[in-house]
Amino acid sequence: MSADFNWWLLILGVTVGVALTWLVMADTTRRDAEIEDEETAAEAGWIARTLDDRLIDDEVAERVLRAHRRYLGFPPPDVLVAPDELVALERGNEASGDPEPVGPGIAARP
């Protein structure tokens, strides 16, 4: 075999190796931003059927999905607050006249 052919095989091998590595390492999971409004209703129906719970119907599941997408639009919280502490914090803000929290688990800054 000639040296030129060996170089061609090396370049081909490296290219194929890089392509296979990219395919294996690529993140192919879907993001919430990729799901359109029409699909949200279908996803809500699927969730309601999958959970098989009387309290969760298509409407409730869709409202939860839309609330989750709104939550993802908030900036990251400065401090995470437990749900029971958040209720107490909101009551304290109402009593003191402070502004409402700006998002779930996010207390308004003074």
Side-chain angles (χ1 to χ4, degrees):
M1 289 190 165
S2 69
D4 291 337
F5 184 70
N6 289 339
W7 278 109
W8 182 84
L9 281 178
L10 178 66
I11 291 171
L12 180 66
V14 168
T15 304
V16 168
V18 166
L20 286 174
T21 301
W22 180 82
L23 283 173
V24 169
M25 301 298 288
D27 185 12
T28 58
T29 57
R30 297 181 63 199
R31 308 281 190 269
D32 282 325
E34 297 172 356
I35 299 175
E36 297 179 9
D37 288 337
E38 297 84 28
E39 191 176 353
T40 300
E43 182 183 4
W46 176 82
I47 289 172
R49 284 190 314 276
T50 303
L51 293 179
D52 196 30
D53 189 343
R54 291 181 309 131
L55 299 176
I56 299 177
D57 61 359
D58 294 5
E59 261 184 58
V60 172
E62 188 172 351
R63 287 186 10 230
V64 169
L65 288 171
R66 292 188 189 284
H68 173 67
R69 293 204 177 98
R70 279 194 316 271
Y71 175 81
L72 292 177
F74 289 132
D78 295 332
V79 177
L80 291 177
V81 179
D84 55 340
E85 293 174 6
L86 184 60
V87 171
L89 186 70
E90 287 174 347
R91 286 185 185 144
N93 284 345
E94 290 171 0
S96 66
D98 288 342
E100 292 290 318
V102 292
I106 307 167
R109 293 182 187 163

